[in-house]
Amino acid sequence: MVTLFDEQYSRRDLERLTGRTDQIGGITPLELADGRARSVPALRFDTGAGLSFTALAGRTLDLAHAHFQGIPLCWRSLNGDAAASFYDPTGERWLRMFFGGLLTTCGLTNFGPPGEDSYGAFGLHGPVNCLPSEDVRWSERWEGDECILEVEGTTRQTRVFGEDLWLHRRISTQLGSRSLRIHDIVINHGFERQPHMILYHCNLGFPILSPGAELYVSHREMRPRDGEAVKGIDVWNMVEGPQPGFKEQVFIHQPVPCDDGRAAAVLINHALPGDGLGLAVRFDPQQLPAMIQWRMLGESTYVMGLEPANCPTIQGRVEAARRGTLPFLDAGESRQYEIEFVVLPDRREVEEMVAMIEQANQKHGTTVQRRPDTG
């Protein structure tokens, strides 16, 4: 059944009440038309229950926008959207393409700073977010009395004399839903072993990010990346207003599962109208055994990044190899990852989520390390 406007409807009920399902919600294919974003293909999802988001097929189906009942859920950078053709892979020029959004994927062979090793040179956070998806197809289909909204496509990160990695992505939600799920499969289609680092850069922003908001994470351990993060160790989960000259604070969490087997990170703002609002990121800590927190409370760059990752070393591929934490994909090998975003507009749901996280933390004896992560 589809829950809309506090009522439940069957497929036949909605067919009697509307001429087309898109009267309520669905998927709208778009093509962006201005500036650097000209001709970028996109798909706008609307669940009819207040949740809407936009996936850019021209940028590996990452999520550039997200709203709930008109309230923005994510931070958008001053760059805006841009076509993949503007990407420059050298050094830190990835920062000129970073749109923020609900999801920016980093990888597939590196996240963190640029560098060079025996596999070649690589730029900041890797190229995958700046590559267009292929074979993109979407559907609005009924399965019984549930209407599934779904898009899938494949992004190929390839280089002659280098890697041949494919990211197959499926994004799905339902009519009447307040959540969305991303299911990724990364396959090494090449004939040699390749490094494989992936990080899901989820960027929460104003107004859910505003003074008084709080972050909860199910984790066994948290440690600061560097001396700047040490300065914020006592307020890592708190939010203040934008501050001139604020320097980013990065914390590395070792996530643990809640009772349902998935880790959770949720930002909650009780001051928003109604019952307040929470936004949770859920994932399997066996697939993604690290979560990087980007606490960046600067002017314009006012964002809380929640970033599940398959490697605990945020200092890049060279450092991950030095520490022995660098993941690899053998020829023909594949890995699967799932990320879910859940909007929590009800105080009871928020309290249940917080209680579940706190129970997981008590079970695993959570600790906070107060010195920089030196490996």
Side-chain angles (χ1 to χ4, degrees):
M1 301 289 283
V2 177
T3 302
L4 295 166
F5 324 118
D6 297 325
E7 298 287 344
Q8 286 197 324
Y9 299 90
S10 68
R11 174 181 181 175
R12 202 61 179 156
D13 291 334
L14 293 176
E15 288 175 341
R16 293 177 63 233
L17 292 165
T18 65
R20 290 171 58 97
T21 305
D22 62 16
Q23 179 174 329
I24 300 164
I27 302 174
T28 305
L30 307 168
E31 187 173 279
L32 306 186
D34 195 34
R36 295 197 305 161
R38 187 181 302 276
S39 299
V40 172
L43 298 112
R44 177 183 169 86
F45 286 68
D46 184 349
T47 70
L51 176 62
S52 62
F53 56 93
T54 302
L56 299 187
R59 297 283 297 274
T60 200
L61 287 170
D62 276 342
L63 304 179
H65 292 269
H67 294 79
F68 180 73
Q69 296 181 348
I71 299 173
L73 297 176
C74 60
W75 169 75
R76 291 270 299 162
S77 87
L78 74 174
N79 292 328
D81 302 323
S85 57
F86 286 94
Y87 175 54
D88 183 340
T90 57
E92 296 187 349
R93 294 181 184 177
W94 179 91
L95 291 171
R96 296 189 180 276
M97 295 290 286
F98 180 35
F99 54 66
L102 189 62
L103 174 63
T104 293
T105 307
C106 302
L108 295 169
T109 56
N110 176 68
F111 62 75
E116 186 171 1
D117 59 14
S118 61
Y119 292 92
F122 50 88
L124 174 70
H125 282 331
V128 69
N129 165 255
C130 301
L131 297 172
S133 295
E134 304 174 12
D135 193 25
V136 176
R137 51 198 182 276
W138 62 93
S139 63
E140 303 172 7
R141 67 181 188 276
W142 286 93
E143 295 183 357
D145 284 323
E146 293 184 347
C147 183
I148 310 299
L149 311 177
E150 190 170 88
V151 63
E152 57 184 319
T154 299
T155 305
R156 297 174 59 180
Q157 180 179 321
T158 62
R159 182 173 67 89
V160 174
F161 306 129
E163 73 272 16
D164 184 8
L165 301 181
W166 295 20
L167 168 64
H168 182 77
R169 171 163 290 174
R170 183 174 68 248
I171 303 172
S172 59
T173 185
Q174 296 173 226
L175 203 64
S177 178
R178 290 186 279 104
S179 67
L180 69 103
R181 178 166 292 187
I182 295 172
H183 180 263
D184 284 350
I185 304 175
V186 179
I187 308 168
N188 181 1
H189 275 278
F191 296 92
E192 296 181 357
R193 188 176 187 237
Q194 293 292 338
H196 169 48
M197 298 176 73
I198 190 168
L199 177 145
Y200 293 86
H201 212 298
C202 311
N203 309 287
L204 283 58
F206 173 83
I208 191 170
L209 182 74
S210 56
E214 294 182 87
L215 175 66
Y216 295 84
V217 179
S218 65
H219 57 176
R220 173 179 284 109
E221 180 186 80
M222 186 201 73
R223 59 189 189 276
R225 179 186 67 178
D226 51 25
E228 200 61 47
V230 171
K231 296 176 185 178
I233 197 73
D234 291 326
V235 290
W236 67 270
N237 64 329
M238 307 302 293
V239 179
E240 301 125 30
Q243 302 166 39
F246 189 92
K247 295 182 180 179
E248 65 180 11
Q249 297 173 348
V250 177
F251 304 96
I252 301 103
H253 299 257
Q254 183 183 352
V256 294
C258 299
D259 284 345
D260 63 0
R262 294 178 298 160
V266 58
L267 184 67
I268 298 166
N269 189 331
H270 290 297
L272 289 175
D275 267 354
L277 191 65
L279 179 60
V281 180
R282 307 296 314 277
F283 59 96
D284 184 343
Q286 292 189 341
Q287 297 174 342
L288 298 161
M291 195 202 77
I292 314 303
Q293 177 196 350
W294 182 39
R295 187 174 185 264
M296 182 60 223
L297 305 182
E299 296 173 304
S300 177
T301 314
Y302 186 61
V303 53
M304 185 76 78
L306 308 178
E307 308 165 14
N310 73 338
C311 174
T313 306
I314 190 59
Q315 295 90 337
R317 192 167 89 197
V318 172
E319 180 64 13
R322 185 188 73 80
R323 297 187 183 193
T325 61
L326 179 61
F328 284 87
L329 278 176
D330 290 328
E333 187 180 4
S334 65
R335 300 272 170 79
Q336 297 193 43
Y337 307 101
E338 285 193 356
I339 298 282
E340 185 180 27
F341 296 93
V342 184
V343 178
L344 304 169
D346 180 85
R347 185 174 292 272
R348 176 186 56 80
E349 291 178 309
V350 167
E351 291 174 352
E352 288 177 353
M353 179 70 72
V354 171
M356 185 172 64
I357 290 172
E358 290 179 340
Q359 184 178 21
N361 290 347
Q362 291 172 4
K363 179 180 178 180
H364 290 90
T366 302
T367 62
V368 175
Q369 178 178 305
R370 294 182 173 270
R371 59 183 184 276
D373 176 43
T374 59

